[in-house]
Amino acid sequence: SYDILKSKFRGCLLGSLLGDCLGAPFEGDNMTTGDKLVIKNYLDKLEEPGFKCPFKPYTDDTAMTRSVAKALIDKPEPDFKFLAKLFVKEYFLEPNRGYGQNVVSVFQKLRQNKFEDVFKPASEQFNGSGSLGNGGAMRIAPVALYYFDKYNIMIDVVTNATKITHTNPLGVNGALLQSIAIQECLLEPQGEKLNVHNFVKKLLDKMKVFEYEDEDDLDGVIEEPYREKLLTVQNLLLRTYDQDELYDEILETLGNSIVALNSVPTAVYCFLKACAETPDLRNIFRNTIEYAIGLGGDTDTIASMAGAIAGAYVGEENLNVNLVRHCEKHNEIIEMADNLLAARQEIEKKV
Ligand code: F2R
Ligand code: MG
Ligand code: MG
Ligand code: MG
């Protein structure tokens, strides 16, 4: 129904914002066992009703997510030139949001070429192999929301929205996995306990078509890196570890870096681990974020992606209002979620 969708749209975009804002102070950190407690206390403190502190600024993850949402809201048909212009405009307006140097060179080329071919600068990155970073996946949530009931169009729009900066198949497939996970959560009923193993199976199934082509490679080796990561997620969910062992295992097998392959499956795992441990929707959201930040590495981005997935599952009312109020522009993000849903309703009316 409309109310559930509204709550899930808001939950997803707020979840993405919270992961970014709350994870950003730790980006690049190596976490020790003691640091896990520091993260727990940090989030506990922020959840206290009266607690006052300067707001937590968002980074490039949210800056770019906002541009993706704006493009969908303002244009009835997907317009990738418009989206590229929004990315570039936003970057030159606020360049100090933590963008990496490589994506900045894409923005500069796009501007120099007057957006003539919006996929060309990205395709030239890394000696023509294109970026496989997680910068495509980190901003993709609005596309998964907007096309929540139009799977094939979503896949197409995710692919092109990603290729403006990331053309390497690993970068694109990371964004696809992230969008598929969000869409699955949107369609998942809120009240029932999530079957985490079925959830991974659905992701495995859906990722197959994007990785299958490799079967015809000359070397005859089937390369299914994302599906392999998802199998690892499945294994990690089944096995019992002590906490320290588990964290070592996650870092070794799933990873926590700015490379999409070593961060998107990790984000999915953080959400599923939280779901496997408790049926309580409020705890699911909070724990997802806590696990993601506690892994260290690309904390803002992994927590943002995990937060978007968890938020789409639990809905806005299961995000702690105090965590929300500490994050920069949270009210604008809520408005954006509502506008995104309204834009979708408009399109429906016209057909
Ligand atoms: N840039 C950052 N964080 C680092 C700086 C902030 C830090 N807190 C500080 O104070 O120093 N964060 C933001 O960037 C990440 C998204 O990155 P994106 O846009 O995907 O980057 P890039 O550079 O395109 O790719 C990431 C790295 O992956 C390797 N790589 C990519 N493609 C490759 C290829 N074809 N071959 C080999 N290597 C490739 C490179 O090392 C890239 O640098 C998010 O974390 C966001 O928060
Ligand atoms: Mg960032
Ligand atoms: Mg091969
Ligand atoms: Mg990051």
Side-chain angles (χ1 to χ4, degrees):
S1 82
Y2 181 81
D3 287 343
I4 293 177
L5 267 184
K6 183 170 168 172
S7 159
K8 283 176 170 264
F9 270 52
R10 287 181 173 196
C12 176
L13 292 192
L14 280 174
S16 174
L17 175 76
L18 265 60
D20 182 15
C21 295
L22 302 174
F26 308 95
E27 192 182 23
D29 287 5
N30 282 319
M31 296 286 179
T32 64
T33 310
D35 293 328
K36 305 261 160 28
L37 191 62
V38 172
I39 303 297
K40 184 186 182 304
N41 292 339
Y42 157 78
L43 293 174
D44 281 347
K45 198 89 205 150
L46 293 172
E47 285 187 355
E48 283 173 18
F51 185 69
K52 286 203 177 85
C53 65
F55 70 79
K56 304 281 176 201
Y58 63 75
T59 75
D60 56 332
D61 306 51
T62 300
M64 296 191 83
T65 301
R66 282 160 50 92
S67 292
V68 172
K70 186 174 165 45
L72 293 166
I73 292 164
D74 287 1
K75 299 280 175 180
E77 294 294 324
D79 185 338
F80 302 106
K81 187 179 272 200
F82 182 67
L83 177 57
K85 285 180 181 170
L86 289 180
F87 285 155
V88 170
K89 186 176 161 196
E90 170 64 31
Y91 168 73
F92 284 101
L93 213 57
E94 295 190 322
N96 298 321
R97 288 277 185 188
Y99 295 87
Q101 263 321 295
N102 299 302
V103 76
V104 169
S105 82
V106 174
F107 296 152
Q108 284 161 342
K109 282 190 191 175
L110 282 167
R111 194 164 74 161
Q112 274 159 17
N113 300 341
K114 303 207 160 40
F115 303 90
E116 202 184 314
D117 178 350
V118 289
F119 304 112
K120 190 159 175 271
S123 72
E124 293 167 351
Q125 293 290 95
F126 300 95
N127 298 315
S129 61
S131 174
L132 45 75
N134 59 21
M138 75 183 186
R139 64 179 185 240
I140 213 62
V143 181
L145 297 178
Y146 190 79
Y147 296 106
F148 69 92
D149 58 351
K150 295 185 162 47
Y151 183 78
N152 293 331
I153 305 180
M154 175 188 82
I155 295 301
D156 194 53
V157 175
V158 167
T159 302
N160 286 310
T162 302
K163 282 185 169 172
I164 296 170
T165 51
H166 293 66
T167 61
N168 189 291
L170 288 172
V172 174
N173 286 352
L176 287 169
L177 175 59
Q178 172 68 6
S179 66
I180 292 167
I182 291 173
Q183 204 183 57
E184 284 298 330
C185 283
L186 278 176
L187 304 174
E188 199 64 47
Q190 249 171 330
E192 287 156 45
K193 191 168 166 25
L194 187 78
N195 183 325
V196 294
H197 295 287
N198 278 348
F199 193 91
V200 182
K201 279 199 199 106
K202 283 189 228 169
L203 299 182
L204 276 163
D205 265 4
K206 292 193 160 164
M207 287 308 288
K208 193 160 191 143
V209 289
F210 309 120
E211 298 193 311
Y212 202 64
E213 287 170 14
D214 268 278
E215 200 181 20
D216 295 332
D217 273 7
L218 291 177
D219 58 12
V221 179
I222 302 177
E223 284 166 29
E224 303 183 304
Y226 279 98
R227 283 168 48 85
E228 273 169 32
K229 289 282 186 179
L230 289 169
L231 291 174
T232 303
V233 167
Q234 223 168 28
N235 283 332
L236 286 169
L237 289 168
L238 281 173
R239 284 157 65 180
T240 46
Y241 291 87
D242 85 34
Q243 281 300 316
D244 286 346
E245 240 177 49
L246 177 62
Y247 279 107
D248 290 347
E249 184 84 11
I250 296 167
L251 294 191
E252 235 169 75
T253 58
L254 296 180
N256 66 356
S257 79
I258 59 176
V259 160
L261 184 63
N262 296 333
S263 54
V264 182
T266 312
V268 171
Y269 171 73
C270 290
F271 164 65
L272 292 177
K273 174 174 155 65
C275 287
E277 286 173 355
T278 172
D280 182 298
L281 297 178
R282 299 190 70 86
N283 287 337
I284 286 174
F285 183 80
R286 158 65 198 257
N287 292 350
T288 297
I289 297 275
E290 191 176 323
Y291 295 148
I293 300 175
L295 291 174
D298 196 1
T299 48
D300 62 334
T301 305
I302 299 176
S304 181
M305 296 189 296
I309 299 169
Y313 177 59
V314 304
E316 182 196 20
E317 60 278 19
N318 292 302
L319 274 56
N320 184 290
V321 290
N322 290 304
L323 280 187
V324 172
R325 90 180 148 82
H326 288 298
C327 296
E328 182 182 6
K329 295 199 183 162
H330 57 274
N331 284 324
E332 285 167 52
I333 293 294
I334 293 172
E335 204 182 309
M336 200 159 238
D338 292 351
N339 289 341
L340 200 60
L341 183 55
R344 252 313 295 274
Q345 310 287 112
E346 275 307 304
I347 300 279
E348 288 310 301
K349 270 188 237 157
K350 281 178 196 154
V351 225

